[in-house]
Amino acid sequence: MYNQIDADVFRRAGEFNLSSVLLVTYQSSTGLSSQPKKIDITKIIIEVSVFESIFDKTLSGAVSIVDAENLLGFLPLTGYERLEFKLRTPSVNRVFDFTEETGHPVFIYKVSNRSTLNPRSQVYILHFTSKETIVNEQIRLYHAPKKQISNMVSEIVRDQKYLNSAKNIVVEETIGVHKYVYPALKPFEAIDTLSREARSRRYYNAGMLFYETATGFNFRSLESMLAFDIDSARPSIARFTAQAANVRDNSGSKDIVKDMSVIRNFKILSQFDTLKNLRNGVYASKLITHDNFNKRFYEYNFNYNTDFELAHHTENAADGSRTADRSILPILQFTPDKKISDFYEGTQYFDTHTENIHNDTQRVPLEEITQKRLSQRLAFESFKIELELFGFTGLSAGDVVTLDIPSYAPYDQTYKSDTDPIASGRYLVTSLRHVLNFKNKTHFMFIQCLKDSVKRPYPQQNVDTFTHRELEERQVYNIKELDEAIIQAISNDIFK
C-alpha cells in the first residue's frame, strides 16, 4: 500500500485531504423540501478521529468543535444528525467516504465533554458511528435459517428486514450447512453467535471476526488475514522502524515513504503472560461434552504444541509456508514426564449438544472449535504493541505489517541489524485510530498490533531442569503447638 505514495503529489508526511465536513440535520432545508438542512462546520473543527478495529463491528469516531454559534441550542442538535465528509491520504486509493453521493454518512449519537472556552464560545465532542450500529439497536431477528454460516451473516447484513446495509462485505466461505434459531436476537448478537461457531473452508482454524473498515464489512478468520492459502503467507504491506524522522534520500531530498515508515513513538503493552495463558487454556485444555440424545459424555484434550504447526501464524517459514518452531511456548520439560502443553486439567470447558437435532443439517462440532478458537484468539494477546505513526488511509485493521523494534543493547557486529530478535517481526494490525490535528495540519495514526509467534525460535529443552530445584522441607505445623512452644519459651525466659 505504501507504494501508492506519489512524491510529486505527497509533499510531506502527515499530509491529508479532507473535504468539507457537513452537519446534516433531520430538518428540511426549506420546510417543504425532502432535502435535509446541511451546515458546513469545517472551520470550527479542531480535531477529527476515525477508529476501526477487527474486534468492533462498525467504524466510529469523534469531531472536536469550538462553537461560538451555539449550534447545540439554536440548531438544535438532538442526536439524530449525520456527518458527511471524505478523508484520504494524497495519491492513495483507499478513502473514508462518508458522503451521501459516493459513500455512506455516519450518525451522530452523543455529545460529550462540553465546557466553556470563554464567555462567548464553548468546546465539545460529537461522537459518530456507522448507520448499522443504530439499526442494530432497533430490531430483533425471529428466524431459523438453514445454510452455510457465511451465507447467514451475508443475509443479516444485506436483508431489508435486518441491517439493510448498502456497503460492500468481504466474506470468507465457511464449511458445513447448519440450522440456527434466532430467539429474538439483535443482528450483532446473532453474528457473534455465528462467528464463534464458524469454521473456514480453506484453513485449519475456528471462529470468525466481523468488522468494518473504510472499504466495508468483513467476515473473516484470523488465519485468512495472515495467509493467501494453506501454504502461502500474506505479505507484509509496510515496514515500520523506530529511528529518526525527516529522512532524506541520496540527493538530499526528503524521502517521504521512509518518513511515513518511522515509528514516532511506541509502547510494548505485553510480551508474555504465563498465568493468563495457563488460566485461559492457551497452552492446554480439556473439553467435556454431553450428548443429550445418546446420553453420553465425551472428553477432548487440546495441546498447543501439536496444534501450532497446523495453522498459519504471524511468523512463517522463509518460503511463506507454515512453521512448527516459532510458537510463543518454548518446547520444554516442566516435569520428568510432561511438557507445559500436557496439563489438560488446568482449564476445563463444558458443553452440551444433541446429536441429530435436525435431520437434514450438520451439528456444529464444538469439539473442533471451542478450544482452538479460544487458544488462537488469546495467543495473540501475548505480544501487544501500540505505535504512533504519520497517518495513512491505505493501512487498515486486518493488515499485516513488519516492525523493527530496538534491541536496547550494546551494538554487536555479529548481528545483521540492531533490532530485538523476539519483539521485532510480523504483526497483525488489530485496531487503528486516525487523528487529524487541525492546529498542526497533520494526520497521525495510533495503531495496536498483535502477534502470536516469534521471529527467532525459542531454544528447545527436552531435559527436565525444574524438578528438585528447591529446598525440600514439606513439614506440616500445627499452629496450636507452635503457640504453646512460644509461650513456653517466654515463660522460661521470665523465670530464669
Side-chain angles (χ1 to χ4, degrees):
M1 288 295 183
Y2 275 69
N3 58 12
Q4 294 181 16
I5 294 177
D6 184 347
D8 294 331
V9 178
F10 205 107
R11 295 167 296 181
R12 63 179 179 86
E15 187 178 2
F16 63 91
N17 291 340
L18 180 69
S19 68
S20 296
V21 181
L22 302 180
L23 179 65
V24 185
T25 78
Y26 63 88
Q27 303 172 53
S28 171
S29 58
T30 64
L32 298 175
S33 171
S34 61
Q35 293 297 317
K37 183 188 298 183
K38 297 184 178 183
I39 301 172
D40 189 341
I41 61 172
T42 310
K43 292 183 179 179
I44 63 174
I45 293 175
I46 56 177
E47 185 178 277
V48 174
S49 67
V50 181
F51 180 76
E52 62 181 53
S53 170
I54 65 173
F55 304 124
D56 284 354
K57 303 290 189 302
T58 59
L59 296 176
S60 60
V63 178
S64 300
I65 288 176
V66 175
D67 183 4
E69 302 292 335
N70 194 15
L71 290 175
L72 281 171
F74 289 134
L75 192 58
L77 289 180
T78 64
Y80 295 93
E81 289 73 31
R82 288 161 288 167
L83 281 176
E84 290 189 30
F85 65 89
K86 189 181 293 187
L87 166 65
R88 77 186 313 156
T89 299
S91 76
V92 174
N93 295 329
R94 185 179 288 171
V95 55
F96 287 96
D97 190 346
F98 301 134
T99 63
E100 180 181 307
E101 294 77 17
T102 58
H104 310 278
V106 286
F107 281 62
I108 296 173
Y109 69 92
K110 183 172 72 171
V111 175
S112 70
N113 292 32
R114 185 180 178 185
S115 60
T116 300
L117 185 63
N118 59 52
R120 291 296 178 184
S121 63
Q122 59 182 330
V123 294
Y124 51 85
I125 301 174
L126 301 178
H127 299 263
F128 63 81
T129 187
S130 297
K131 179 194 75 171
E132 291 78 10
T133 307
I134 306 297
V135 176
N136 177 69
E137 300 300 327
Q138 298 174 313
I139 63 173
R140 291 184 181 273
L141 278 59
Y142 302 89
H143 188 38
K146 183 179 68 175
K147 57 185 72 175
Q148 288 176 293
I149 288 178
S150 50
N151 291 337
M152 294 183 199
V153 172
S154 297
E155 181 183 45
I156 292 172
V157 174
R158 283 276 180 266
D159 199 293
Q160 292 184 356
K161 300 188 300 294
Y162 307 138
L163 291 177
N164 190 26
S165 177
K167 298 172 182 174
N168 294 323
I169 177 170
V170 175
V171 176
E172 181 179 354
E173 187 179 4
T174 57
I175 189 171
V177 175
H178 308 291
K179 185 171 183 177
Y180 282 84
V181 177
Y182 302 142
L185 295 178
K186 292 181 178 180
F188 287 162
E189 291 174 338
I191 290 176
D192 279 341
T193 298
L194 296 172
S195 298
R196 286 193 295 269
E197 299 184 356
R199 293 174 298 156
S200 170
R201 181 173 289 278
R202 298 175 64 194
Y203 303 104
Y204 176 77
N205 63 12
M208 296 280 187
L209 294 170
F210 179 82
Y211 61 99
E212 184 184 7
T213 65
T215 56
F217 287 107
N218 299 267
F219 182 67
R220 304 173 60 185
S221 65
L222 282 168
E223 195 169 353
S224 80
M225 302 177 203
L226 303 175
F228 281 127
D229 55 47
I230 198 67
D231 285 316
S232 180
R234 198 173 292 273
S236 171
I237 71 164
R239 189 181 201 99
F240 299 117
T241 306
Q243 65 180 42
N246 295 316
V247 181
R248 298 184 180 273
D249 59 24
N250 294 332
S251 66
S253 302
K254 273 194 175 183
D255 190 327
I256 296 176
V257 175
K258 287 188 177 179
D259 228 12
M260 294 283 287
S261 302
V262 171
I263 300 174
R264 293 171 52 83
N265 195 9
F266 74 93
K267 181 187 297 184
I268 298 176
L269 301 179
S270 65
Q271 185 156 332
F272 60 83
D273 190 331
T274 301
L275 282 179
K276 180 179 178 180
N277 289 344
L278 290 173
R279 289 167 179 163
N280 290 283
V282 173
Y283 302 144
S285 65
K286 180 186 291 293
L287 171 66
I288 301 173
T289 67
H290 179 246
D291 182 349
N292 293 321
F293 184 81
N294 295 308
K295 305 295 188 294
R296 293 187 62 182
F297 286 93
Y298 301 90
E299 293 186 1
Y300 303 92
N301 293 330
F302 174 80
N303 185 304
Y304 174 84
N305 280 337
T306 59
D307 190 82
F308 182 85
E309 64 184 74
L310 302 177
H312 273 283
H313 301 272
T314 47
E315 298 293 350
N316 49 264
D319 61 358
S321 62
R322 293 166 293 173
T323 179
D325 62 350
R326 301 189 183 189
S327 76
I328 59 172
L329 175 64
I331 296 178
L332 58 91
Q333 291 293 135
F334 195 71
T335 65
D337 60 342
K338 283 187 177 182
K339 295 179 171 60
I340 295 292
S341 58
D342 295 328
F343 290 86
Y344 307 117
E345 300 288 341
T347 302
Q348 290 191 350
Y349 301 110
F350 301 89
D351 195 36
T352 182
H353 68 270
T354 300
E355 200 72 41
N356 302 324
I357 189 171
H358 301 296
N359 292 331
D360 55 350
T361 59
Q362 299 168 286
R363 176 182 67 84
V364 175
L366 295 177
E367 64 275 10
E368 299 177 14
I369 297 174
T370 301
Q371 294 159 285
K372 180 170 181 61
R373 175 177 62 83
L374 294 172
S375 174
Q376 183 185 46
R377 171 65 186 88
L378 291 169
F380 271 92
E381 297 288 335
S382 294
F383 282 89
K384 182 187 298 185
I385 186 169
E386 284 185 349
L387 309 174
E388 179 186 348
L389 304 158
F390 284 113
F392 181 67
T393 58
L395 185 66
S396 181
D399 287 337
V400 176
V401 297
T402 300
L403 306 183
D404 291 329
I405 305 301
S407 65
Y408 298 107
Y411 183 71
D412 187 345
Q413 296 293 337
T414 61
Y415 285 97
K416 294 182 179 180
S417 61
D418 191 22
T419 58
D420 188 316
I422 301 299
S424 298
R426 287 162 50 92
Y427 281 78
L428 179 68
V429 177
T430 55
S431 66
L432 193 155
R433 184 181 301 278
H434 296 274
V435 177
L436 310 182
N437 187 308
F438 278 57
K439 181 179 179 181
N440 299 326
K441 294 182 173 56
T442 304
H443 176 193
F444 300 104
M445 61 183 180
F446 301 84
I447 70 175
Q448 186 172 100
C449 301
L450 306 179
K451 71 171 181 171
D452 66 341
S453 51
V454 292
K455 181 179 179 181
R456 189 174 74 183
Y458 288 135
Q460 295 187 18
Q461 180 56 260
N462 294 317
V463 177
D464 176 16
T465 60
F466 288 89
T467 306
H468 305 307
R469 301 298 174 183
E470 59 182 323
L471 178 64
E472 290 283 345
E473 294 181 296
R474 300 182 184 275
Q475 298 297 317
V476 178
Y477 296 95
N478 185 302
I479 186 64
K480 180 175 180 295
E481 295 175 357
L482 289 175
D483 289 343
E484 290 175 348
I486 293 172
I487 293 171
Q488 184 63 46
I490 294 173
S491 299
N492 293 339
D493 289 342
I494 293 174
F495 295 108
K496 273 185 179 179

